Amino acid sequence: MFKILTLNNISPLGLDRLPKDRFVVSDRMTEPDAILLRSFKMHDMAVPGSLKAVGRAGAGVNNIPVDALTKRGIPVFNTPGANANAVKELVIAGMLLAARHIGPALRFAEGLTGSDAEISKAVEAGKKSYAGFELPGRKLGVIGLGAIGRLVANAGVALGMDVIGFDPGLTVEGAWQLAATVKKADTLEELLRVADFVTIHVPLMETTKNLIDAERLSLMKDGVVLINFAREGIVNTNAVTAAITSGKVYGYVCDFPANELKQHDRVIALPHLGASTAEAEDNCAVMVVDEVRNFLEHGNIKNAVNFPDVAAPRETAHRLAVANANVPNMLGQISETLGLAKLNIHDMVNRSRGDYAYTIVDLDDPIPPDLVRKVAAIPGVLMARVV
Ligand SMILES: NC(=O)c1ccc[n+]([C@@H]2O[C@H](COP(=O)([O-])OP(=O)(O)OC[C@H]3O[C@@H](n4cnc5c(N)ncnc54)[C@H](O)[C@@H]3O)[C@@H](O)[C@H]2O)c1
């Protein structure tokens, strides 16, 4: 039986994928094999010695002591892309909110008083202030063509927009998923100069902090609509409010309200709703549960933030999984230890990422516990486990 400790509510759609004859799940549990969580802050928690995996139903892992867990050979799984559709839909809504002045128009309608006849008269007199524009033929610039950016780019194409994207780290797999008509910008500046809508889908890092500042705003087309459902710090708030005041920017749609933004009529700031759908929560739970189960039962790693993806089909009943430092001769020492015990290696897969590596060894015969201890004692081995 594997013991799973939940530190937050995890959607039953995910938890139901753990067969009851092999997994016991509880929010109170000693010696768990794995922890599942969403935003629970694990930093102050004593990490149980029994722990083999941590699964975060969501993308960010700053609530988890990843470095400390890595040193113990514990993978931290997350769910990249599981909330991408939820964010994409809000970006489309954001474009329409800005193009059709829906916020101010709603406020106008809500403020109407008098008889129905008087309201009708006021509507006809007032509606011209909220005339908007349509999306087909407009140019949509997508910064970052990851899980969310790709869906936004393809949705833009489906809406009849002319889409241009910029992502120096675009993967081949990612490029395959893009609609063929999405154009590639070679530089960010190239995209900024031509787009009517600029939407940002990059992570917040040192290199993307203040990515959209006064200088980059000055390159944009007059009347551009800027959309930020990524992170607050990627757009410089002072610069964008100044650009709205000067008329350079037509509207700013974001997921991050702040005092300075609230004062502007042409700012639409939502309360961090990007991933807030029941479906996104379910998708995250399903994905993280599958990842953790696959690791516990087969030692396969997919979507860990601290170890490479490593997976192998099971060809024998005896598997050894090893997390180790990425240093010379680790594989030699592991196979020598197994060879000295006269165990025949049927198959072996090893991948490294940065300072760490992960190895799966399938053997023809059972692996005695003292041999696992010997492998675990090799300097640089962080974890060794029979799966
Ligand atoms: N508003 C919300 O509730 C919400 C929800 C989910 C995600 N997000 C944010 O959206 C971001 C994107 O999510 P994702 O799932 O698409 O991530 P992802 O990792 O799949 O994609 C990010 C992409 O950005 C690219 N990139 C990095 N630096 C870049 C740069 N300087 N210029 C251009 N491209 C660059 C990367 O190559 C990658 O392809 C997340 O990092 C997160 O901050 C917000």
Side-chain angles (χ1 to χ4, degrees), residues 59 80-81 83-84 87 143-150 166-171 188 200-205 207-208 211 228-231 234 255-256 272-276:
N83 51 24
V87 181
I143 306 174
L145 294 165
I148 298 170
R150 286 197 294 273
F166 173 69
D167 186 337
L170 179 63
T171 59
L188 178 55
I200 305 161
H201 301 290
V202 301
L204 177 62
M205 307 177 288
T207 50
T208 58
L211 186 73
N228 177 14
F229 283 92
R231 284 289 178 267
I234 297 169
D255 223 1
F256 316 105
H272 205 171
L273 290 182
S276 293

Side-chain angles (χ1 to χ4, degrees), residues 338-359:
L338 297 171
L340 286 173
K342 309 242 173 316
L343 281 183
N344 186 43
I345 294 179
H346 183 91
D347 204 356
M348 189 171 195
V349 193
N350 167 275
R351 298 261 183 289
S352 64
R353 185 162 112 191
D355 293 336
Y356 298 96
Y358 187 77
T359 307

Side-chain angles (χ1 to χ4, degrees), residues 125-368:
K127 71 178 196 182
K128 58 181 171 302
S129 308
Y130 307 103
F133 60 90
E134 300 184 21
L135 303 183
R138 307 260 166 190
K139 202 159 216 127
L140 171 64
V142 184
I143 306 174
L145 294 165
I148 298 170
R150 286 197 294 273
L151 293 187
V152 169
N154 291 347
V157 171
L159 287 167
M161 301 181 84
D162 209 2
V163 182
I164 181 165
F166 173 69
D167 186 337
L170 179 63
T171 59
V172 175
E173 182 72 16
W176 273 106
Q177 290 167 27
L178 275 176
T181 51
V182 174
K183 292 185 197 71
K184 170 177 165 286
D186 289 323
T187 62
L188 178 55
E189 288 67 26
E190 181 188 335
L191 179 151
L192 297 179
R193 283 196 181 93
V194 297
D196 300 302
F197 288 84
V198 171
T199 182
I200 305 161
H201 301 290
V202 301
L204 177 62
M205 307 177 288
E206 257 334 291
T207 50
T208 58
K209 210 166 153 193
N210 277 323
L211 186 73
I212 302 300
D213 58 6
E215 198 185 326
R216 294 222 163 95
L217 281 162
S218 73
L219 299 177
M220 295 187 196
K221 278 175 83 170
D222 289 344
V224 66
V225 173
L226 180 63
I227 302 169
N228 177 14
F229 283 92
R231 284 289 178 267
E232 188 171 16
I234 297 169
V235 172
N236 184 297
T237 305
N238 293 335
V240 83
T241 49
I244 294 171
T245 309
S246 76
K248 176 82 186 171
V249 168
Y250 182 77
Y252 179 47
V253 190
C254 68
D255 223 1
F256 316 105
N259 279 316
E260 199 180 341
L261 295 173
K262 282 193 303 186
Q263 295 158 5
H264 280 264
D265 229 19
R266 291 200 183 252
V267 172
I268 297 158
L270 299 175
H272 205 171
L273 290 182
S276 293
T277 66
E279 289 85 349
E281 215 167 277
D282 287 344
N283 290 344
C284 288
V286 165
M287 195 166 172
V288 80
V289 164
D290 286 353
E291 289 163 1
V292 167
R293 179 180 170 188
N294 194 7
F295 177 75
L296 291 176
E297 291 189 329
H298 302 293
N300 293 327
I301 296 187
K302 174 120 204 288
N303 292 335
V305 298
N306 51 349
F307 285 97
D309 281 0
V310 185
R314 291 214 64 149
E315 291 188 4
T316 73
H318 315 291
R319 171 169 284 190
L320 181 67
V322 183
N324 53 275
N326 184 19
V327 293
N329 200 30
M330 285 306 314
L331 287 187
Q333 293 181 79
I334 295 168
S335 25
E336 189 186 348
T337 308
L338 297 171
L340 286 173
K342 309 242 173 316
L343 281 183
N344 186 43
I345 294 179
H346 183 91
D347 204 356
M348 189 171 195
V349 193
N350 167 275
R351 298 261 183 289
S352 64
R353 185 162 112 191
D355 293 336
Y356 298 96
Y358 187 77
T359 307
I360 291 175
V361 193
D362 282 341
L363 297 134
D364 289 326
D365 296 298
I367 312 145

Side-chain angles (χ1 to χ4, degrees), residues 8-75:
N8 295 104
N9 282 336
I10 304 292
S11 157
L13 221 67
L15 295 180
D16 286 350
R17 299 167 79 89
L18 296 170
K20 302 232 172 339
D21 57 335
R22 271 170 290 157
F23 291 87
V24 46
V25 183
S26 168
D27 57 1
R28 256 165 250 179
M29 155 114 46
T30 54
E31 304 194 332
D33 294 290
I35 285 175
L36 295 176
L37 76 168
R38 284 160 55 194
S39 53
F40 183 94
K41 294 200 169 38
M42 262 188 83
H43 287 283
D44 300 328
M45 176 183 164
V47 175
S50 56
L51 194 68
K52 300 172 183 64
V54 172
R56 154 86 164 105
V61 289
N62 47 9
N63 55 322
I64 301 169
V66 176
D67 287 348
L69 293 168
T70 308
K71 289 189 179 106
R72 289 176 46 177
I74 298 173

